[in-house]
Amino acid sequence: MDFEREIEVCLRSRFTLICIETFEEERVVDHLKSVCTQRNRTLYRWDHADHFQLLTGPAGTRPTATDAASVLEAIEAMEGEVVFVLHDFHQCWDKSPKIVRKLRNLAQRLQYTRKTMIVTAPAMEIPDELKDEVVRLEYAPPGEEQLGAIIDKLASSPGVKVNLTDEGRDRILRAALGLSSSQARRIFAKAIVVNGVLDDRDLEMITMEKKEIIRESGALQFYAPSETIADVGGLQQLKTWLGMRERAFTQEAADYGLPAPKGVALIGIPGTGKSLTAKMIASLWHLPLIRLDIGALYGSYIGQSEENARRALVLAETIAPCLMWIDEIEKGLSTGTADGGTSMRVFGTILSWMQEKTKPVFIVATANDISKLPPELLRKGRFDEIFFLDLPTTIERREIFHVHIRKRKRKPEDYDLDRLSAAADGYVGAEIEQAVIEAMYIAFNDEANAGRDFTTEDILAALAKQVPMSRSQREVVGALRQWLAEGRAQSASFREVQEAQQEFVQIQPDSE
Ligand SMILES: Nc1ncnc2c1ncn2[C@@H]1O[C@H](COP(=O)(O)OP(=O)(O)O)[C@@H](O)[C@H]1O
Ligand SMILES: [Mg+2]
């Protein structure tokens, strides 16, 4: 048991202040009990509600302490080889520099004794003054082995039937990875209650329940996209790139020695199909799509946001292979100082995970505004490729009209796509879709012939009524394209960058 060995090493090395971030207090305490029993140490627990309690070791006089200062005094006074596990003690130091100082002094003095303090909390911030004294330990969610032990324990309860094949058991254990012990126990118990027995048929239910838990976690959301590659007009370069990687997550590709792709960033003007593409990749690659909402990671107490981020990322890994879609990443990462650097720390957590993740979680990040993006994000090596989605070319606009006319159940052949595409110069996909819908309203409400079918003329009229963003927000669009011209991303379309620039210059004159 790795964690227990780590604890042992810490005790033997006379570390006096250990901090463990975990939602699974009870499991950590179980490990501590086992280590302390083996090494003949006394173990006391302290929390704000029940104060000191003896967990293992000879019963002596139980110290009484209801506040942080007297806890530390009691620890100092106690004789012998003792481990003190202090739940949520960070709340005491968060508000009090005096406690921080006292804790630091005590941590130093305890080095000459055989006493150790262990602080556990779901998340905590270590004050700078304590950083030299503190050892931080990670406590991971239960692995397959521990989850198996949970099933075995359930199975030994009277009246409970477990009837799993070896393969079914493996699958169920894998499906439950990423859950905490208490969540897993609850789900297994529920599966048993529903049909009286835990067997191979419960896999689906366990998977569903896990999705539910992920949904409850707030920051991750399952998507079942219906968008296919046929719903996306243009972006041929990007489509080819994605097509080449269609089988990248198969066993075949792994056997061949291909590394799993890491991720792609889609940058560009709003309405060019970035979110659409993210959803399309999921159906193209036949992978589950989960969306990470960075905004939902932010918590109210210090350190909680990073912990939420870590948990969400671990959960995502347990679904791998999958796509993780981070939409409009710049919104979640506003680099202001107003939030005390929280968003930068959350961002750091995500970045280092991107670097270190071993599970095949493919990231699709989209951004409308690169000026708000921290430059580290787009550094070489983070993403396999960065694509820029520009204003669509003539050919692309034609394809987009084709997509949207067909989507309205009309025949694209009945429309003059060339004329439409020429008239829609400077319009993005979303605006083209809008024009088609507007044309439908025009025809539907025609005074002379209400409900008639909409025509090329109607779409042209609708286009004329709209001012495309490339004109109304020329500077924003121009700045984005400038960024592309600097060669920092690959164009998603088949077209030379210079041509794109030229076309833009042509749009400008009539935009006044
Ligand atoms: N290249 C395209 N092909 C077809 N439809 C498009 C395209 N780009 C945008 N659209 C339409 O516009 C809508 C909004 O696009 P979206 O992907 O949300 O843009 P973005 O995320 O880049 O701001 C899409 O749902 C789709 O209907
Ligand atoms: Mg979008």
Side-chain angles (χ1 to χ4, degrees), residues 13 62 81 86 126 137 143 150 166 168 180 203 206 223 227 238 344 347 369 381 444 460 465 471 494 512:
S13 322
R62 186 164 67 119
E81 304 192 5
L86 312 173
I126 314 281
L137 288 188
I150 294 176
D166 284 349
S180 70
L203 176 64
I206 288 166
Y223 259 72
E227 286 81 356
L238 173 57
M344 282 323 284
F347 179 64
D369 185 354
F444 186 68
L460 289 172
K465 273 168 67 177
R471 276 176 222 157
F494 273 137
E512 302 303 321

Side-chain angles (χ1 to χ4, degrees), residues 100-137:
V100 170
R101 184 73 239 180
K102 226 173 148 74
L103 192 57
R104 182 176 177 181
N105 291 348
L106 182 59
Q108 287 169 353
R109 282 202 294 274
L110 290 190
Q111 284 165 8
Y112 308 102
T113 69
R114 288 186 160 271
K115 290 183 280 190
T116 305
M117 301 178 278
I118 300 180
V119 176
T120 72
M124 64 186 121
E125 184 82 347
I126 314 281
D128 285 341
E129 295 83 352
L130 288 178
K131 286 211 168 117
D132 284 345
E133 255 61 57
V134 166
V135 178
R136 283 181 99 129
L137 288 188

Side-chain angles (χ1 to χ4, degrees), residues 141-175:
E144 287 179 45
E145 198 182 315
Q146 291 110 296
L147 291 168
I150 294 176
I151 293 190
D152 296 339
K153 200 162 169 203
L154 273 175
S156 67
S157 327
V160 171
K161 268 207 292 193
V162 174
N163 187 15
L164 289 166
T165 62
D166 284 349
E167 201 196 332
R169 183 184 160 102
D170 274 358
R171 286 210 179 144
I172 281 180
L173 293 180
R174 244 175 294 134

Side-chain angles (χ1 to χ4, degrees), residues 335 347 370 373-380 382 488:
T335 49
F347 179 64
I370 28 139
L373 282 184
E376 307 91 276
L377 181 69
L378 300 178
R379 246 203 329 254
K380 274 264 168 278
R382 294 268 191 233
R488 279 186 277 187

Side-chain angles (χ1 to χ4, degrees), residues 48-331:
H48 291 275
D50 296 331
H51 313 307
F52 276 112
Q53 280 175 297
L54 180 68
L55 297 182
T56 64
T61 41
R62 186 164 67 119
T64 48
T66 52
D67 64 290
S70 22
V71 169
L72 299 181
E73 281 151 23
I75 290 173
E76 177 145 40
M78 183 107 48
E79 299 282 341
E81 304 192 5
V82 196
V83 175
F84 302 89
V85 54
L86 312 173
H87 296 310
D88 300 324
F89 200 73
H90 66 298
Q91 288 166 352
C92 307
W93 74 54
D94 275 350
K95 286 167 296 220
S96 163
K98 201 173 114 197
I99 293 299
V100 170
R101 184 73 239 180
K102 226 173 148 74
L103 192 57
R104 182 176 177 181
N105 291 348
L106 182 59
Q108 287 169 353
R109 282 202 294 274
L110 290 190
Q111 284 165 8
Y112 308 102
T113 69
R114 288 186 160 271
K115 290 183 280 190
T116 305
M117 301 178 278
I118 300 180
V119 176
T120 72
M124 64 186 121
E125 184 82 347
I126 314 281
D128 285 341
E129 295 83 352
L130 288 178
K131 286 211 168 117
D132 284 345
E133 255 61 57
V134 166
V135 178
R136 283 181 99 129
L137 288 188
E138 293 270 334
Y139 190 66
E144 287 179 45
E145 198 182 315
Q146 291 110 296
L147 291 168
I150 294 176
I151 293 190
D152 296 339
K153 200 162 169 203
L154 273 175
S156 67
S157 327
V160 171
K161 268 207 292 193
V162 174
N163 187 15
L164 289 166
T165 62
D166 284 349
E167 201 196 332
R169 183 184 160 102
D170 274 358
R171 286 210 179 144
I172 281 180
L173 293 180
R174 244 175 294 134
L177 280 177
L179 301 175
S180 70
S181 314
S182 53
Q183 285 169 332
R185 197 175 303 117
R186 217 178 58 220
I187 288 183
F188 296 150
K190 185 167 171 190
I192 292 168
V193 169
V194 168
N195 50 11
V197 56
L198 183 65
D199 61 19
D200 296 6
R201 290 170 302 174
D202 288 316
L203 176 64
E204 199 175 337
M205 194 208 127
I206 288 166
T207 313
M208 294 283 292
E209 288 283 325
K210 184 163 141 186
K211 284 191 179 180
E212 198 50 49
I213 285 174
I214 287 172
R215 216 168 283 139
E216 280 167 21
S217 80
L220 290 180
Q221 219 185 340
F222 263 93
Y223 259 72
S226 54
E227 286 81 356
T228 68
I229 199 156
D231 294 312
V232 183
L235 311 181
Q236 197 49 56
Q237 193 93 316
L238 173 57
K239 283 178 181 167
T240 306
W241 190 91
L242 293 170
M244 297 264 285
R245 284 153 185 81
E246 204 178 314
R247 293 183 303 134
F249 294 101
T250 59
Q251 193 54 45
E252 233 180 316
D255 292 344
Y256 189 78
L258 273 175
K262 286 182 287 196
V264 67
L266 307 176
I267 308 214
I269 305 166
T272 45
K274 297 181 295 297
S275 304
L276 177 67
T277 303
K279 290 180 267 182
M280 175 270 272
I281 303 175
S283 57
L284 183 67
W285 288 359
H286 306 285
L287 289 182
L289 176 66
I290 44 176
R291 181 170 160 179
L292 174 68
D293 175 0
I294 297 184
L297 294 173
Y298 295 118
S300 51
Y301 60 89
I302 294 173
Q304 188 184 18
S305 310
E306 293 103 290
E307 176 61 22
N308 290 346
R310 263 193 297 277
R311 264 189 89 72
L313 298 173
V314 167
L315 264 179
E317 286 194 340
T318 66
I319 307 160
C322 65
L323 297 178
M324 191 162 92
W325 169 29
I326 313 178
D327 207 33
E328 309 197 346
I329 193 162
E330 75 275 22
K331 296 226 169 105

Side-chain angles (χ1 to χ4, degrees), residues 437-454 458 465:
I437 293 170
E438 177 65 22
M440 294 177 80
Y441 275 108
I442 296 174
F444 186 68
N445 291 308
D446 189 348
E447 277 175 17
N449 184 8
R452 68 170 170 82
D453 219 348
F454 68 100
D458 295 321
K465 273 168 67 177

